[in-house]
């Protein structure tokens, strides 16, 4: 976060409380951070720390209790599809639509005409290397391929920001590594700003320029770590002492205020 | 087994039953006043199809079935969707619906006759009660199957409420809704015929009852066969529709 590029996403003292009438649960507490244009930011934290809630607030799908999210300095109060696309752990492809139609779906919502949509979907499929699957149905594709389609669909409306909620969480480890490479390649080619939620410390650090570390009860940012790793990233980087040291720092941030976790030490990884 | 082979077996089975029936009648194994031979039933059927009284009664029954369905199904769909969408409404009403589904509705028939009298209204209302619950319960289940993630994603793409209903709810719900409609129309036919057999001035139900009581077994058998074939045709065409709107589901499940 030292490049001096303009800030594209900013959260200011975000707070989210559920069940206000009885036994309120503070899901998010004082979340403030900034994401620079074109950067890759990971958010890592334990399950149930409010990561997904944060992402839904950033996408304008769920209102915050207080505080605000600014995109290009404008407060987000409802979905802003021209700026932001979303991706979930589940590819959420429409099973009754062909792959190309799925990619066209956000464009159809936007009211783009048919030919232009087709054209755009074909270009996006080429970008993720799935051109020959355009006429197939989602169930005919593997989990990794479906997530690539989901990336293509997210990119189709040409948003500037991709918000990704554990997009590779349901994939096996090998596919997950490949998808990480794939995402980095797409990111470098398109120059999008990516905000990537994961519970994997390794994945968070491997992909990102900056890692935001979240803790739970209530969910809050407990640290901002500059990855400080060279690009392009290769798998070997994961074995370097620098990578290990930074990952340990992230872990100590997550576990420091959580006695259950710190007693287990690294076993939680 | 191959599809064609299965079909051949099924046809052979029906042929076998009719064959044994003919044979039994021919050698005198069956009392013709209880079970007339198939040829006689076929002749009775032919005569019935030219009989304007029979056609008039058929039309009465068909009208009641259609009117009950046309009123009951849309109300049931709306109720089911509301119950599925609104968790508190669904939670309080759906157990009631499931309980009502397990009560044989025929026991209410005497009460219906007392309240609504004999005639069109009583038959149609009794038919509606048969359509309503099964369609509503299926519509409710269908709404609950609509994947939340897809709705959220569509919202993030800026989809309007109408667009979400059209592009996500409708296709996601269609297979189960059509299952409900298929069962609804079959239950509707059961209800109307039952009401007619119990007490009525017109309709197929009352004809069946009358022919049975007067030992007009050839006519009784002919009408029975005719109604059976008609309901099978209705059920199978609904099922074809069901399979058509559910193709994606079959493919996903068989993966």
């Amino acid at each position: 976060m030292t490049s001096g590029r303009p800030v594209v996403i900013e959260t200011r003292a975000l707070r989210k409380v559920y069940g206000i009438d009885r036994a309120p649960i503070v899901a998010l507490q004082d979340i403030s951070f900034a994401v620079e244009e074109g950067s890759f930011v990971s958010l890592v934290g334990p399950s149930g720390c409010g990561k997904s809630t944060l992402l839904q607030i950033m996408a304008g799908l769920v209102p915050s209790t207080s505080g605000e999210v600014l995109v290009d300095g404008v407060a987000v109060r409802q979905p802003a599809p021209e700026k932001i696309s979303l991706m979930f752990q589940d590819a959420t492809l429409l099973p009754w639509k062909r792959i190309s139609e799925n990619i066209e779906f956000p464009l159809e919502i936007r009211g783009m005409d048919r030919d232009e949509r087709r054209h755009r979907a074909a270009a996006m499929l080429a970008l993720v290397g799935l051109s020959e699957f355009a006429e197939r149905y989602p169930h005919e594709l593997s989990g990794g391929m479906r997530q690539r389609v989901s990336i293509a669909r997210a990119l189709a409306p040409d948003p500037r920001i991709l918000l990704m909620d554990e997009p590779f969480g349901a994939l096996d480890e090998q596919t997950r590594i490949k998808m990480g490479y794939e995402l980095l390649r797409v990111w470098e080619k398109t120059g999008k700003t990516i905000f990537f939620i994961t519970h994997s410390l390794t994945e968070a650090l491997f992909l990102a320029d900056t890692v935001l570390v979240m803790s739970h009860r209530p969910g809050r940012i407990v640290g901002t770590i500059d990855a400080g790793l060279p690009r392009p990233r290769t798998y070997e980087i994961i074995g370097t002492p620098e990578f290990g040291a930074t990952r340990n720092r992230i872990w100590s941030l997550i576990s420091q205020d959580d006695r259950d976790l710190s007693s287990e030490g690294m076993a939680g990884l | 087994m191959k599809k064609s082979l299965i079909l051949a077996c099924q046809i052979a089975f029906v042929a076998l039953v009719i064959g044994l029936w003919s044979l039994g009648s021919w050698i005198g194994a069956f009392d013709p006043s209880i079970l007339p031979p198939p040829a006689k039933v076929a002749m009775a059927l032919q005569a019935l199809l030219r009989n304007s009284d029979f056609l008039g009664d058929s039309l009465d029954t068909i009208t009641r079935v259609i009117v009950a369905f046309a009123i009951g199904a849309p109300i049931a769909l709306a109720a089911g969707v509301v119950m599925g969408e609104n968790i508190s409404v669904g939670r309080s009403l759906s157990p009631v619906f499931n309980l009502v589904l397990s009560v044989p509705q025929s026991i209410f028939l005497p009460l219906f006759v007392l309240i609504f009298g004999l005639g069109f209204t009583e038959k149609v209302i009794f038919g509606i009660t048969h359509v309503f619950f099964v369609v509503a319960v299926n519509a409710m289940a269908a709404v609950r199957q609509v994947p939340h993630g897809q709705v959220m994603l569509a919202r993030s793409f800026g989809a309007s409420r109408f667009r979400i209903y059209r592009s996500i709810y409708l296709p996601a719900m269609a297979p189960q809704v059509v299952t409900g409609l298929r069962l609804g129309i079959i239950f509707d036919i059961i209800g109307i015929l039952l009401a007619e057999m119990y007490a009525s001035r017109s309709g197929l139900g009352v004809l069946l009852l009358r022919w049975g009581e007067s030992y007009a077994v050839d006519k009784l058998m002919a009408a029975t066969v005719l109604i059976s074939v008609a309901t099978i045709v209705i059920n199978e065409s609904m099922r074809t529709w069901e399979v058509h709107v559910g193709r994606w589901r079959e493919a996903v499940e068989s993966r």
Side-chain angles (χ1 to χ4, degrees):
Chain A
M1 290 214 179
T2 50
S3 61
R5 288 174 294 192
V7 168
V8 59
I9 310 171
E10 194 182 352
T11 67
R12 287 184 186 160
L14 275 184
R15 181 178 154 86
K16 179 70 180 176
V17 183
Y18 282 115
I20 295 174
D21 346 333
R22 33 177 187 155
I25 295 161
V26 182
L28 296 173
Q29 175 82 9
D30 196 27
I31 304 278
S32 299
F33 60 83
V35 177
E36 287 172 2
E37 177 95 60
S39 64
F40 196 127
V41 174
S42 291
L43 176 80
V44 68
S47 337
C49 72
K51 301 188 294 273
S52 297
T53 304
L54 173 59
L55 185 120
Q56 286 168 23
I57 293 172
M58 289 167 73
L61 289 168
V62 168
S64 60
T65 307
S66 63
E68 56 185 356
V69 178
L70 304 174
V71 170
D72 297 331
V74 181
V76 175
R77 293 207 174 81
Q78 56 191 26
E82 66 291 343
K83 292 178 186 165
I84 301 172
S85 271
L86 247 64
M87 243 185 97
F88 300 122
Q89 179 170 336
D90 179 48
T92 57
L93 301 177
L94 302 174
W96 49 84
K97 281 182 183 272
R98 294 176 191 280
I99 295 305
S100 55
E101 293 167 339
N102 263 289
I103 296 175
E104 286 177 38
F105 187 51
L107 307 175
E108 202 183 320
I109 290 171
R110 184 174 284 196
M112 189 184 278
D113 72 66
R114 209 190 169 99
D115 287 344
E116 210 179 334
R117 254 165 34 206
R118 286 261 167 87
H119 215 73
R120 182 92 192 130
M124 290 302 106
L125 269 178
L127 181 69
V128 296
L130 289 176
S131 294
E132 66 269 45
F133 294 94
E135 297 307 308
R136 298 294 189 89
Y137 285 92
H139 68 88
E140 298 177 280
L141 273 59
S142 69
M145 285 157 92
R146 284 204 293 272
Q147 279 301 20
R148 272 150 76 193
V149 174
S150 181
I151 293 177
R153 178 181 57 186
L155 291 171
D158 198 23
R160 287 168 45 218
I161 301 163
L162 285 186
L163 301 179
M164 309 177 92
D165 189 0
E166 301 199 22
F168 310 141
L171 304 176
D172 63 83
E173 196 190 345
Q174 289 166 37
T175 310
R176 198 170 176 155
I177 292 165
K178 283 183 198 153
M179 290 300 296
Y181 276 125
E182 180 78 14
L183 181 62
L184 287 179
R185 187 180 66 75
V186 169
W187 173 61
E188 274 151 20
K189 203 164 171 179
T190 57
K192 306 291 179 196
T193 305
I194 297 184
F195 187 82
F196 188 98
I197 289 181
T198 175
H199 59 252
S200 160
L201 278 61
T202 304
E203 189 177 46
L205 187 55
F206 177 71
L207 295 172
D209 300 319
T210 306
V211 180
L212 298 173
V213 185
M214 234 175 131
S215 193
H216 61 163
R217 291 184 220 126
R220 63 202 185 283
I221 305 284
V222 291
T224 303
I225 298 212
D226 190 347
L229 300 166
R231 290 195 190 273
R233 303 276 163 89
T234 57
Y235 186 67
E236 291 69 39
I237 212 169
I238 295 173
T240 62
E242 294 80 15
F243 193 95
T246 313
R247 189 172 55 188
N248 288 348
R249 266 173 67 211
I250 298 172
W251 173 247
S252 66
L253 281 169
I254 291 177
S255 58
Q256 68 187 9
D257 59 353
D258 193 327
R259 281 179 211 96
D260 310 343
L261 282 173
S262 44
S263 63
E264 288 171 25
M266 298 298 281
L269 277 176
Chain B
M1 245 200 301
K2 265 186 161 177
K3 257 188 185 166
S4 54
L5 188 61
I6 294 172
L7 187 69
C9 285
Q10 287 162 341
I11 292 170
F13 178 74
V14 174
L16 184 71
V17 170
I18 296 174
L20 285 174
W21 177 10
S22 291
L23 187 70
S25 303
W26 188 63
I27 62 170
F30 305 135
D31 179 354
S33 67
I34 307 279
L35 187 64
K40 207 174 166 215
V41 172
M43 272 156 60
L45 183 60
Q46 235 173 359
L48 281 181
L49 290 174
R50 290 203 208 99
N51 182 325
S52 62
D53 286 347
F54 175 79
L55 294 179
D57 278 306
S58 304
L59 189 65
D60 281 350
T61 299
I62 292 168
T63 309
R64 288 162 186 162
V65 167
I66 289 174
V67 171
F69 191 76
I71 296 171
I75 297 173
L77 281 178
V81 170
V82 169
M83 288 196 305
E85 278 277 74
N86 189 319
I87 292 166
S88 53
V89 174
R91 201 172 283 163
S92 46
L93 283 184
S94 68
V96 179
F97 276 43
N98 283 316
L99 289 178
V100 171
L101 262 180
S102 65
V103 176
Q105 285 167 45
S106 48
I107 63 171
F108 294 105
L109 200 43
L111 203 62
F112 270 58
V113 174
L114 281 180
I115 298 170
F116 302 107
L118 272 187
F120 185 76
T121 313
E122 169 249 334
K123 306 278 178 316
V124 166
I125 291 177
F126 193 65
I128 290 173
T129 65
H130 277 72
V131 175
F132 183 81
F133 294 101
V134 69
V135 174
V137 166
N138 276 285
M140 184 173 68
V143 171
R144 294 198 175 151
Q145 281 167 11
V146 173
H148 181 64
Q150 285 169 354
V151 173
M152 200 151 70
L153 197 90
R155 279 182 57 211
S156 84
F157 287 135
S160 64
R161 188 174 276 263
F162 174 74
R163 160 69 76 176
I164 289 172
Y165 280 130
R166 201 188 74 186
S167 297
I168 296 176
Y169 274 69
L170 199 62
M173 287 172 62
Q176 177 116 35
V177 165
V178 176
T179 303
L181 293 176
R182 177 171 65 80
L183 294 173
I185 201 158
I186 296 299
F187 284 24
D188 181 15
I189 294 168
I190 293 171
I192 297 290
L193 286 174
L194 190 67
E196 288 174 354
M197 286 168 83
Y198 176 70
S200 182
R201 289 183 206 95
S202 70
L204 289 172
V206 77
L207 288 183
L208 291 174
L209 190 71
R210 203 179 291 154
W211 289 334
E213 284 173 339
S214 61
Y215 284 89
V217 189
D218 52 345
K219 285 184 191 164
L220 178 63
M221 290 285 295
T224 305
V225 169
L226 189 67
I227 295 169
S228 304
V229 170
T231 49
I232 289 169
V233 168
I234 292 169
N235 191 42
E236 290 309 307
S237 19
M238 293 291 281
R239 203 198 294 280
T240 307
W241 185 25
E242 195 179 325
V243 168
H244 177 77
V245 294
R247 267 171 319 176
W248 61 269
R249 197 171 60 166
E250 302 273 317
V252 173
E253 277 164 7
S254 67
R255 187 152 56 91

